[in-house]
Amino acid sequence: MASQPWNENEAILHSLQDDILVTNLDGTILKVSEATGKVYGVSSESLLGKSVYDLAAKGMFTPIATPMVLKEKKKITFVQTTNTGKKLLVTGIPVLDENGKIYRVVSYSHDVTELLELKKFLQTMEGEMERVKSELDLLRSRQLYDSGIIANSTEMKNVITTSLQVAEVDVNVLLLGESGVGKSLIAKFIHNKGSRNKGAFIEVNCGAIPENLFEAEFFGYEAGAFTGANRKGKLGLAELADGGTLFLDEIGELPLAHQVKVLKCIQEKQFYRVGGTKPISVDFRLISATNKDLLKAIQERTFREDLYFRLNVVPLTIPPIRKRPEDIIPLIHYVLDVFQEKYKREKRLDEAVLHHFLQYDWKGNVRELINLIERLVVISPATLITTEHLPDYIKASHSIPAPPSNLSKPLKEVLEDVEKQMLQRARRDYKTTVQIAEALGISQPSVVRKMQKYDID
């Protein structure tokens, strides 16, 4: 049999590695590349002259490019499935004649089976990651709850995130915040999450130790170091923290005369006991806390600048609870549960009590809230704690304007005046309508609607 004459177009077509197929308007295959047969598991020559409609009916592939291109009259791309289960990304292109009418349909494809499988795998993994993330978030929330830390607000979540980061390394941390915000609690949290959690957590209240006893308490003393000293001597707090965490609370209250000695101990991790001549080496991580403005104290020459920079490697500010209203109600319920268990008393808080708590400024922060809840659990005679059991200063923070003495105004107008004043006050105290809604015990859409009604910006 004589061989077919050489054809340049055919040679180019078969040299391509892609699957290329050309049909007429009836779907008859006119040309195919060598790669086409391999894609569908047959020889390319066997496809010539066959109808794509017949091949589709036999299950070789579906859907078909030719009718889709003829219908859309433009380039189309779709996913085709072959009889072997492969997934092909097929592109069909209309070929126009000199009159602008469709003359042929050319299609080419790429095997995307692995890509689609990978996509499916990634989607499965994303779902699994979300599940694991949810479980971790739940576990973390449970651990925080067990630690007495409530972190529903963005501000406290940021504090916890930073705390977990610094817990991994022995970096000096300076906790800042108002009195009672929970600096000691965060310090213990950092210690418990760090590698030194098996060691001791030694808390030193720098403002509570008398100035003349500070050195003896902090560094310890040798036997007979001074009159009245223990005959066996005494270990200092710094030495007790060896292998663990030394927490210097109220560091801003440390007398200036002792600051240089504490700085030397922090820098060198070495000190002398009172009356001692042998240096004592210690290895501890350092966390400090203060409610003072240390930069102002430096300007006033009551705090050493070099000590400040040594302490302030990673500053961490804990916000007051009035600036994180999302945490107040969960914190109240947590503290209530603690004292119910402690005093074996069942107590519930009336909704009006919660509204008062949300309005109150809590200048003493978490410490003040804890003390008040404990008092209410102990002194309230009934199971339900109502506003009549609250101290007067709490009630005053949620005062409602008195109605007019005469009846010159209809009741509806009086109620609207009260509602407007409460909304205006809440707008001053809270940043968002969500926070206002939580404080007033109504929905956020209601807040928006009422603020529009009373023309409150």
Side-chain angles (χ1 to χ4, degrees):
M1 179 182 293
S3 60
Q4 294 287 337
W6 183 81
N7 183 293
E8 181 182 1
N9 292 333
E10 292 290 332
I12 293 174
L13 177 66
H14 292 305
S15 69
L16 298 175
Q17 299 299 312
D18 291 330
D19 159 29
I20 298 177
L21 185 147
V22 182
T23 72
N24 62 16
L25 302 186
D26 295 330
T28 302
I29 300 174
L30 305 177
K31 295 180 183 294
V32 291
S33 65
E34 289 290 344
T36 304
K38 296 177 182 178
V39 169
Y40 297 110
V42 296
S43 66
S44 296
E45 290 80 2
S46 68
L47 294 174
L48 292 172
K50 299 288 180 64
S51 168
V52 290
Y53 296 99
D54 292 340
L55 295 176
K58 293 177 180 178
M60 181 172 285
F61 45 70
T62 185
I64 312 169
T66 301
M68 296 172 70
V69 171
L70 293 176
K71 179 181 178 181
E72 298 294 333
K73 294 181 173 56
K74 63 180 182 179
K75 177 181 177 180
I76 54 103
T77 300
F78 60 95
V79 175
Q80 185 183 80
T81 304
T82 72
N83 55 353
T84 58
K86 290 182 179 179
K87 299 292 183 180
L88 307 178
L89 185 65
V90 177
T91 299
I93 303 174
V95 178
L96 307 181
D97 61 15
E98 64 272 14
N99 298 317
K101 294 183 179 180
I102 299 178
Y103 173 66
R104 296 281 187 263
V105 175
V106 177
S107 64
Y108 59 90
S109 67
H110 298 284
D111 190 343
V112 293
T113 306
E114 292 185 3
L115 288 176
L116 292 177
E117 288 295 326
L118 181 60
K119 180 183 177 182
K120 183 178 179 181
F121 174 76
L122 289 175
Q123 289 175 338
T124 303
M125 288 302 298
E126 285 176 359
E128 185 67 14
M129 290 286 288
E130 284 296 321
R131 184 188 66 80
V132 172
K133 182 176 180 295
S134 298
E135 290 181 359
L136 287 175
D137 288 342
L138 183 62
L139 180 60
R140 180 176 293 179
S141 298
R142 182 71 259 175
Q143 289 176 334
L144 291 176
Y145 190 84
D146 291 342
S147 303
I149 300 174
I150 303 298
N152 290 348
S153 64
T154 301
E155 292 84 352
M156 277 306 292
K157 286 179 180 177
N158 291 338
V159 169
I160 296 304
T161 298
T162 305
S163 297
L164 290 171
Q165 290 173 337
V166 299
E168 298 174 356
V169 291
D170 278 351
V171 63
N172 292 348
V173 180
L174 178 61
L175 302 177
L176 305 169
E178 298 177 8
S179 178
V181 293
K183 295 187 288 292
S184 297
L185 203 61
I186 295 297
K188 290 176 183 175
F189 178 78
I190 293 173
H191 167 75
N192 291 333
K193 295 300 178 181
S195 59
R196 295 176 178 267
N197 55 6
K198 302 299 182 184
F201 177 85
I202 302 299
E203 182 172 348
V204 181
N205 191 318
C206 299
I209 303 174
E211 185 172 354
N212 60 334
L213 296 179
F214 182 83
E215 283 191 60
E217 291 294 322
F218 189 78
F219 299 113
Y221 55 83
E222 299 290 352
F226 52 86
T227 304
N230 189 311
R231 287 182 294 179
K232 296 181 180 179
K234 181 182 178 181
L235 295 179
L237 296 171
E239 193 169 351
L240 292 174
D242 186 36
T245 298
L246 180 64
F247 175 46
L248 301 180
D249 196 13
E250 305 297 346
I251 188 66
E253 304 295 335
L254 184 64
L256 192 61
H258 297 312
Q259 289 178 23
V260 65
K261 298 173 183 177
V262 171
L263 173 61
K264 186 178 178 64
C265 174
I266 293 171
Q267 287 178 328
E268 301 178 2
K269 295 294 176 70
Q270 198 174 74
F271 62 90
Y272 292 89
R273 292 176 186 159
V274 175
T277 57
K278 180 182 177 181
I280 306 295
S281 296
V282 287
D283 177 30
F284 54 74
R285 85 162 296 160
L286 180 69
I287 304 176
S288 308
T290 184
N291 59 7
K292 276 193 169 185
D293 185 345
L294 294 184
L295 291 176
K296 182 179 179 182
I298 291 172
Q299 292 176 350
E300 296 173 349
R301 299 184 181 280
T302 58
F303 200 84
R304 293 180 62 96
E305 187 176 29
D306 49 1
L307 177 58
Y308 170 76
F309 286 118
R310 178 61 63 175
L311 301 175
N312 191 40
V313 178
V314 177
L316 185 56
T317 301
I318 305 171
I321 58 173
R322 64 178 173 276
K323 291 188 177 180
R324 45 187 179 104
E326 303 96 321
D327 294 335
I328 294 179
I329 298 300
L331 182 59
I332 289 170
H333 288 309
Y334 171 81
V335 175
L336 184 64
D337 288 343
V338 169
F339 289 124
Q340 284 187 111
E341 177 67 23
K342 179 178 179 179
Y343 296 112
K344 307 301 179 186
R345 295 187 178 187
E346 183 181 347
K347 299 291 180 181
R348 291 184 294 107
L349 295 176
D350 186 71
E351 285 292 326
V353 172
L354 295 177
H355 290 165
H356 277 75
F357 285 168
L358 286 169
Q359 289 291 313
Y360 185 55
D361 284 339
W362 299 109
K363 294 181 180 178
N365 289 292
V366 179
R367 186 182 296 121
E368 182 183 4
L369 185 147
I370 292 173
N371 291 343
L372 178 59
I373 297 296
E374 183 175 18
R375 183 197 315 174
L376 292 173
V377 169
V378 172
I379 68 172
S380 299
T383 300
L384 182 64
I385 299 173
T386 64
T387 55
E388 67 181 63
H389 302 124
L390 296 177
D392 291 339
Y393 67 88
I394 297 288
K395 296 177 185 178
S397 68
H398 192 62
S399 59
I400 297 176
S405 56
N406 56 39
L407 300 179
S408 58
K409 281 188 175 183
L411 177 61
K412 181 180 178 182
E413 291 185 21
V414 174
L415 293 175
E416 287 180 343
D417 288 344
V418 172
E419 186 175 59
K420 181 178 179 180
Q421 291 182 45
M422 292 183 69
L423 282 165
Q424 287 173 330
R425 173 170 180 174
R427 183 66 186 87
R428 289 194 304 269
D429 293 343
Y430 300 98
K431 295 180 181 179
T432 68
T433 54
V434 173
Q435 294 173 344
I436 293 173
E438 291 180 353
L440 298 180
I442 59 178
S443 68
Q444 189 265 351
S446 295
V447 169
V448 174
R449 187 171 59 253
K450 291 178 184 296
M451 290 178 70
Q452 291 174 344
K453 174 183 176 182
Y454 297 118
D455 196 23
I456 300 173
D457 291 334

